[in-house]
């Protein structure tokens, strides 16, 4: 604590008035005198501290009275403070006085290292245990900064200023000067500094005194020098009466911590990046009008705290038990807390504004980075921009080893970005894992063609994930054999925006393909993966066109290894009925009629139930009945049913992406019909081996089989196949089943599409479907 009797090398010596009745000048004539000791730097503001405050000179009579009666001293101090608060009740006038002292000269003082030291002193002095325990990385970095030579030089340059303010706080506290006058004097002395520097320098001066007080209190019992000094300050007596003084020190601690909160807030405003927020931004402009008031009341609170400590050490513990003193501190704390709440609110708005600006910049950076016309050496910039740009953590988890790895494992590799929400279907994941495992098995001993990385899309605002979300994420990640992002929070908001707006992610998984240089080969190869698996590598549009050119409308294209038993039937040249629906009565009639026809014409017939594209639970029940009654072969595994229909939908989407959705070739027409029939009623596809003969709706297939006596006469001349096809086509031309296609609002639908039955452009309707409703949507809503 700074003392008038021992000013030290940088403290000005402030002379006490002589107590000589014969030579004492009149009180009105008394003028302050300041003698600077030590190598203090020149500063035209140094004399403001005493010149702006008219010092009172005590008369001998008054001096004797003060020595005899400490309570009289308390009355004088409290009276001066109360008078000061009353006369400065007009905040507008008060702040005009403070603003009049503000004349910054443009100097830029980095107060962060100094603030760190001050926080350390005050937090330890106020026994801020949480601060001591957690020791954040930012504080450690600031401490290291404070040890650097340039910061040490900066602190040395500010030492004189800090000591002068410390002396003023100590001296005026002992004199019982008006708090506003003392505060104004400090502002005048610091007129050439910015608001944040005024605040931190003043807080440093207060910390110097307050820290010294508590340092003596902590070590006086074990250090003789400290003990002697503590006795002079009456510390032993104070500490022996801690119980009655507890409210006072609690009030002090609360006010000091609030002072630090406001100071940190003001410094944070100074550190806001000007490239992202301008002074005229509403949140910042509002805060800047309040900062002078915040700085004033914080320094005014330092004066009050200094007065409290000085009063305790000069007048003893009896002074500390007065409730009015704690009330004054609590009142100031309440005022500062209100100021801090408003500043923090505006600061949060500023951070939100800055974050939005940064997000926009990041989004534009991604657009430039993924510009197909820009060449890059490798894919590292792209992966860092999408996943994690820092070098302080390993952002990926290797699904094979369960170890964290860096992005370097993907350098100059073909990378498939599997992008999905946490609502990842178990069927989808199981099929993808099977394709991935089969590919790795075939590539055993060779370097794989590509690497897969799962990027989870989880909406967040930088806050920790809920326990439920975290558990669901970890459960999904643990089942994946490929690389996955270690934490969903690594994927920033502008990246999520890019994925949704540019790569058109909605809710269903997409597979974005990057070549070794980071160029996008396909914005969504998931359809190619479902149709051809890894055979579609490198998943380009050119490769997609080439694969389609090899395909024909045959049964093995629809099955493609889903069920090996069907492939055996194809090899044997058997007639095969693939059929579906959820009406067990129709299914029973259809199966019976098909077997009757097969028996009548002596053809080898096999049948397999493959369900519907929707009504999953109903399909399970129908499959169980078919198995129980031994009507035909059926797919009991729901994943097989799901994959069959997903492949058909993928074929449709693939054709849409290639601009072939309205082609009149048999593949496009057959896919459209199956997808439409699979939504409503029953359906059946008849093939001989792999050659598809009939692809029909329940309203035409069953009558064709039931009425076989009407066309059996043509079999001898035209053969079984052609006779059946011609009769079915006759019924079809009369029935003309309605067609419909459903595209989820979360997927990219084509602008128009032609009906596979009549080839007219279909009408577009909006439908609302309840996922719990097993009833079909009326056909009238989807008329072609």
């Amino acid at each position: 604590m700074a003392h008038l009797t021992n000013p030290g090398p940088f403290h000005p010596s402030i002379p006490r008035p002589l107590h000589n009745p014969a030579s004492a000048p009149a009180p009105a004539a008394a003028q302050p005198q300041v003698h600077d000791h030590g190598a203090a730097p020149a500063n035209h503001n140094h004399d403001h501290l005493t010149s702006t405050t008219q010092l009172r000179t005590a008369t001998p009579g008054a001096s004797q009275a003060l020595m005899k009666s400490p309570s009289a001293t308390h009355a004088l101090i409290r009276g001066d403070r109360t008078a000061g608060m009353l006369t400065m009740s007009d905040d507008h006038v008060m702040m005009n006085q403070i603003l009049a002292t503000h004349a910054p000269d443009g100097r830029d003082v980095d107060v962060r290292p100094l603030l760190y030291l001050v926080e350390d002193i005050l937090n330890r002095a106020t026994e801020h245990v949480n601060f001591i325990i957690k020791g954040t990385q930012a504080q450690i970095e600031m401490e290291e900064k404070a040890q650097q030579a340039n910061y040490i030089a900066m602190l040395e340059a500010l030492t004189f200023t800090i000591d002068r303010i410390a002396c003023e706080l100590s001296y005026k506290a002992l004199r019982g000067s008006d708090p506003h006058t003392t505060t104004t004097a400090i502002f005048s002395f610091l007129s050439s500094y910015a608001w944040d520097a005024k605040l931190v320098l003043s807080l440093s001066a207060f910390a110097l005194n307050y820290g010294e007080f508590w340092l003596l209190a902590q070590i006086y019992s074990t250090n003789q020098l400290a003990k002697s000094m503590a006795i002079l300050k009456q510390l032993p007596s104070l500490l022996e009466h801690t119980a009655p003084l507890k409210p006072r020190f609690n009030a002090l601690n609360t006010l000091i911590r609030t002072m630090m909160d406001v100071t940190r807030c003001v410094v944070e405003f100074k550190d806001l990046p000007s490239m992202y927020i301008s002074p005229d931004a509403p949140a910042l402009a509002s805060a800047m009008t309040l900062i002078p008031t915040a700085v004033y009341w914080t320094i005014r609170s330092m004066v009050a705290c200094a007065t409290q400590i000085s009063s305790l050490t000069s007048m003893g513990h009896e002074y500390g038990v007065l409730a009015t003193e704690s009330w004054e501190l609590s009142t100031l704390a309440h005022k500062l807390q209100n100021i801090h709440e408003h500043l923090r609110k505006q600061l949060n708005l500023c951070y939100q504004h800055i974050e939005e600006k940064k997000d926009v910049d990041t989004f534009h950076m991604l657009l430039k980075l993924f510009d197909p016309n820009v060449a890059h050496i490798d894919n590292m910039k792209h992966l860092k921009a999408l996943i994690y740009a820092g070098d302080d953590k390993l952002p990926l988890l290797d699904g094979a080893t369960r170890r964290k790895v860096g992005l370097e494992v993907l350098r100059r590799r073909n990378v498939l970005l599997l992008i999905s929400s946490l609502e990842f279907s178990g069927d989808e994941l199981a099929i993808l894992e099977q394709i991935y495992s089969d590919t790795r098995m075939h590539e055993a001993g060779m370097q794989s063609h590509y690497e897969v990385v799962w990027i989870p899309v989880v909406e967040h605002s930088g806050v920790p994930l809920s326990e439920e979300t975290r558990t669901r994420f970890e459960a999904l990640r643990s089942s994946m054999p490929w690389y996955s992002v270690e934490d969903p929070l690594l994927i920033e908001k502008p990246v999520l925006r890019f994925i949704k707006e540019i790569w058109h992610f909605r809710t269903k998984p997409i597979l974005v393909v990057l070549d070794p240089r980071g160029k996008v080969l396909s914005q969504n190869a998931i359809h190619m993966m479902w149709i051809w698996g890894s055979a579609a590598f490198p998943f380009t549009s050119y490769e997609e066109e080439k694969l389609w050119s090899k395909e024909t409308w045959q049964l093995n294209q629809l099955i493609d290894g889903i069920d090996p038993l069907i492939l055996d039937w194809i090899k044997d040249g058997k007639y095969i009925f693939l059929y579906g629906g959820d009406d067990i009565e129709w299914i029973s009639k259809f199966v019976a009629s098909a077997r009757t026809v097969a028996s009548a014409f002596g053809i080898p017939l096999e049948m397999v139930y493959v369900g519907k594209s929707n009504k999953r639970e109903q399909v399970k029940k129908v499959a169980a009945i078919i198995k129980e009654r031994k009507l035909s072969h059926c797919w009991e595994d729901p994943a097989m049913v799901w994959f069959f229909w997903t492949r058909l939908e993928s074929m449709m989407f693939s054709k849409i992406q290639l601009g072939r959705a309205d082609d009149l070739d048999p593949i496009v027409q057959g896919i459209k019909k199956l997808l439409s029939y699979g939504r409503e009623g029953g359906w059946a596809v008849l093939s001989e081996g792999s050659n598809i003969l009939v692809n029909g709706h329940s309203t035409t297939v069953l009558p064709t089989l039931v009425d076989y006596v009407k066309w059996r006469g043509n079999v001898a001349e035209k053969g079984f196949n052609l006779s059946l096809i011609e009769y079915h086509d006759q019924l079809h031309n009369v029935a003309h089943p309605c067609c419909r296609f459903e595209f989820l609002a979360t997927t990219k639908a084509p602008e128009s599409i032609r009906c596979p039955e009549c080839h007219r452009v279909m009408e577009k309707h909006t439908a609302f479907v309840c996922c719990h409703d097993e009833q079909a949507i009326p056909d009238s809503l989807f008329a072609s």
Side-chain angles (χ1 to χ4, degrees), residues 145-194:
K145 260 190 168 184
Q147 303 303 318
Q148 297 174 7
N150 55 331
Y151 286 103
I152 293 174
M154 182 269 291
L155 290 173
E156 288 177 350
L158 296 174
T159 298
F160 177 78
T161 302
I162 294 170
D163 280 354
R164 282 295 300 269
I165 301 171
C167 271
E168 179 73 2
L169 286 172
S170 179
Y171 178 66
K172 295 298 176 60
L174 286 171
R175 287 298 308 259
S177 299
D178 168 45
H180 172 70
T181 305
T182 303
T183 305
T184 306
I186 294 174
F187 272 98
S188 298
F189 178 63
L190 298 173
S191 62
S192 58
Y193 291 93

Side-chain angles (χ1 to χ4, degrees), residues 318-586:
E318 295 89 350
Y319 171 78
V321 299
L322 296 171
T324 54
E325 308 305 327
S326 297
W327 175 85
E328 180 188 357
L329 298 177
S330 299
T331 301
L332 286 169
H334 180 70
K335 188 176 188 71
L336 273 188
Q337 285 166 356
N338 289 336
I339 292 174
H340 175 252
E341 286 176 6
H342 184 75
L343 284 179
R344 177 53 62 181
K345 178 182 177 181
Q346 298 306 116
L347 187 60
N348 289 338
L349 291 174
C350 288
Y351 283 139
Q352 182 179 340
H353 177 90
I354 292 168
E355 194 67 24
E356 290 171 356
K357 291 285 188 181
K358 286 183 176 180
D359 288 350
V360 170
D361 284 358
T362 302
F363 181 77
H364 289 154
M365 178 271 291
L366 288 169
L367 291 176
K368 292 179 181 178
L369 191 60
F370 284 94
D371 185 342
N373 299 316
V374 178
H376 298 274
I377 298 175
D378 58 27
N379 55 6
M380 293 311 293
K381 284 185 178 179
H382 305 76
L383 295 173
K384 286 185 176 182
L386 289 172
I387 299 173
Y388 186 67
D391 297 322
D392 58 330
K393 63 176 65 176
L394 301 174
L396 298 179
L397 184 74
D398 187 338
T401 64
R402 316 312 299 174
R403 293 180 180 177
K404 294 181 182 180
V405 295
L407 294 174
E408 282 293 327
V409 298
L410 305 175
R411 183 185 289 274
R412 295 184 179 176
R413 302 297 310 279
N414 291 291
V415 177
L416 274 57
L417 302 175
L418 176 60
I419 302 172
S420 79
S421 68
L422 298 186
E423 303 299 328
F424 206 139
S425 162
D427 294 335
E428 288 178 288
L429 190 55
I431 299 297
L432 270 178
E433 287 178 11
Q434 182 178 340
I435 295 173
Y436 181 84
S437 299
D438 291 346
T439 303
R440 287 297 188 266
M441 188 180 301
H442 293 145
E443 294 173 343
M446 302 183 296
Q447 188 178 39
S448 60
H449 291 308
Y450 58 83
E451 298 293 346
V452 178
V453 179
W454 179 45
I455 296 183
V457 175
V458 179
E459 297 296 338
H460 62 83
S461 302
V463 297
L465 300 178
S466 67
E467 185 176 347
E468 179 185 356
T469 302
R470 174 68 63 181
T471 300
R472 191 159 66 248
F473 163 73
E474 292 178 352
L476 264 177
R477 186 183 62 180
S478 65
S479 65
M480 295 181 177
W482 43 75
Y483 294 110
S484 57
V485 172
E486 199 274 329
D487 188 340
L489 296 180
L490 294 179
I491 310 302
E492 298 178 340
K493 286 192 292 184
V495 176
L496 296 179
R497 177 189 171 192
F498 183 84
I499 287 172
K500 293 175 181 178
E501 293 186 13
I502 306 303
W503 290 343
H504 308 295
F505 171 80
R506 299 297 184 267
T507 56
K508 287 192 172 184
I510 64 173
L511 199 64
V512 179
V513 183
L514 306 181
D515 74 1
R517 294 189 175 185
K519 183 179 179 180
V520 177
L521 299 181
S522 173
Q523 288 189 3
N524 189 7
I526 195 75
H527 308 309
M528 299 175 70
M529 184 66 82
W530 293 142
I531 301 169
W532 297 289
S534 296
F537 180 84
F539 305 102
T540 60
S541 296
Y542 173 78
E543 190 67 26
E544 192 172 9
E545 291 271 19
K546 189 167 69 172
L547 288 169
W548 272 121
S549 68
K550 300 176 183 178
E551 299 288 357
T552 57
W553 179 238
Q554 294 191 332
L555 189 63
N556 55 7
Q557 181 196 26
L558 299 181
I559 301 303
D560 192 37
I562 297 177
D563 189 343
L565 180 61
I566 297 178
L567 296 179
D568 291 339
W569 295 341
I570 292 174
K571 290 178 183 177
D572 295 339
K574 294 183 176 181
Y575 284 85
I576 303 167
F577 254 131
L578 257 64
Y579 70 97
D582 60 350
D583 184 346
I584 191 62
E585 185 177 345
W586 179 88

Side-chain angles (χ1 to χ4, degrees), residues 147-329:
Q147 303 303 318
Q148 297 174 7
N150 55 331
Y151 286 103
I152 293 174
M154 182 269 291
L155 290 173
E156 288 177 350
L158 296 174
T159 298
F160 177 78
T161 302
I162 294 170
D163 280 354
R164 282 295 300 269
I165 301 171
C167 271
E168 179 73 2
L169 286 172
S170 179
Y171 178 66
K172 295 298 176 60
L174 286 171
R175 287 298 308 259
S177 299
D178 168 45
H180 172 70
T181 305
T182 303
T183 305
T184 306
I186 294 174
F187 272 98
S188 298
F189 178 63
L190 298 173
S191 62
S192 58
Y193 291 93
W195 293 110
D196 64 310
K198 295 180 200 287
L199 193 51
V200 174
L201 288 171
S202 300
L203 193 63
S204 302
F206 171 75
L208 195 64
N209 290 343
Y210 194 67
E212 182 182 339
F213 174 84
W214 281 109
L215 179 62
L216 288 178
Q218 291 174 15
I219 68 171
Y220 85 96
S221 61
T222 58
N223 185 290
Q224 186 57 46
L225 174 60
K227 183 176 182 179
S228 299
M229 294 179 65
I231 291 173
L232 286 177
K233 290 178 173 291
Q234 303 186 59
L235 277 180
S237 174
L238 287 175
L239 297 177
E240 287 173 4
H241 299 82
T242 54
L245 291 175
K246 186 176 180 180
R248 173 70 61 83
F249 285 119
N250 286 342
L252 270 172
N253 287 348
T254 299
L255 180 54
I256 290 170
R257 290 171 189 170
T258 308
M259 286 158 43
M260 287 192 290
D261 289 340
V262 174
T263 303
R264 279 191 292 267
C265 217
V266 171
V267 171
E268 285 186 65
F269 275 109
K270 171 68 180 305
D271 292 342
L272 292 177
S274 57
M275 65 183 296
Y276 290 115
I277 188 166
S278 60
D280 58 353
L284 183 55
S286 174
M288 295 309 295
T289 60
L290 181 61
I291 281 179
T293 303
V295 174
Y296 170 81
W297 282 107
T298 306
I299 296 178
R300 174 84 171 254
S301 298
M302 296 176 203
V303 174
C305 291
T307 300
Q308 296 289 321
I309 296 298
S310 295
S311 300
L312 285 172
T313 56
S314 61
M315 286 174 280
H317 66 276
E318 295 89 350
Y319 171 78
V321 299
L322 296 171
T324 54
E325 308 305 327
S326 297
W327 175 85
E328 180 188 357
L329 298 177

Side-chain angles (χ1 to χ4, degrees), residues 506-508 653 679 741-749 769:
R506 299 297 184 267
T507 56
K508 287 192 172 184
F653 279 112
R679 284 284 173 182
F741 301 102
E742 293 180 3
F743 298 93
L744 295 176
T746 55
T747 60
K748 188 178 180 182
V769 182

Side-chain angles (χ1 to χ4, degrees), residues 657-704:
Q657 287 188 163
L658 294 173
R660 301 283 189 266
D662 286 331
D663 288 357
L664 297 180
D665 70 85
I667 295 178
V668 175
Q669 297 305 307
I671 293 170
K672 284 183 176 180
K673 287 180 180 181
L674 264 181
L675 289 174
S676 178
Y677 298 161
R679 284 284 173 182
E680 190 66 35
W683 61 271
V685 171
L686 176 64
S687 72
E688 181 184 15
S690 189
N691 183 36
I692 295 177
L693 305 177
V694 171
N695 176 13
H697 191 261
S698 60
T699 56
T700 58
V701 173
L702 182 57
T704 298

